[in-house]
Amino acid sequence: KHKDWSPEDWKRVIWSDESKFIRFQSDGKQYCWRRPHESIKRHHVKETVKHGGGNIMVWGCFTWWHVGPLQKIEGIMMKEDYFKILQTHLPDFVERSAYPEEEVIFQQK
């Protein structure tokens, strides 16, 4: 549907998403490669923080022209929390955009 959009069309889009940042380590699996029968060396071991060190969840948005606000999310985000973030932060960001409100396209990833 959008394959023929011009750069001008894409400039009207506000992109939005949430991201989780792990403070001290990955929350995925990590592997160490070593040769058969090779003993474990210090550089094979990754130091960790007891109990993982925590993470930070944030919501943000951006356009072709500029980056919008970054909002920290406390706990698990419910739909009411998401609506409150949008109601609080999106109107000012849309107002600062290069296009009238009715021409802006909001895209949640």
Side-chain angles (χ1 to χ4, degrees):
K1 180 178 176 181
H2 301 99
K3 69 181 181 73
D4 295 323
W5 271 25
S6 70
E8 289 305 313
D9 292 323
W10 289 109
K11 289 177 183 180
R12 296 181 299 131
V13 178
I14 295 177
W15 302 94
S16 168
D17 202 4
E18 303 83 39
S19 291
K20 178 170 80 169
F21 296 90
I22 308 299
R23 292 179 51 201
F24 294 109
Q25 63 195 31
S26 169
D27 60 350
K29 292 182 180 180
Q30 296 184 3
Y31 298 91
C32 166
W33 294 100
R34 46 191 182 98
R35 294 188 172 96
H37 310 292
E38 180 182 3
S39 64
I40 295 177
K41 307 235 179 339
R42 184 174 184 86
H43 67 272
H44 293 138
V45 179
K46 181 174 172 109
E47 293 184 21
T48 63
V49 175
K50 191 172 183 176
H51 306 295
N55 62 67
I56 298 170
M57 284 284 294
V58 296
W59 170 89
C61 64
F62 65 94
T63 67
W64 176 284
W65 307 104
H66 52 276
V67 176
L70 196 61
Q71 176 64 39
K72 183 178 177 186
I73 299 167
E74 300 291 344
I76 297 172
M77 183 163 65
M78 307 301 280
K79 67 179 179 181
E80 296 81 12
D81 303 321
Y82 182 67
F83 290 147
K84 184 173 182 175
I85 288 172
L86 294 181
Q87 291 168 343
T88 304
H89 299 286
L90 200 55
D92 290 339
F93 188 67
V94 170
E95 190 175 301
R96 288 183 20 221
S97 82
Y99 296 92
E101 182 179 342
E102 60 274 3
E103 292 182 21
V104 170
I105 299 167
F106 179 73
Q107 176 64 50
Q108 168 63 32
K109 168 112 172 47

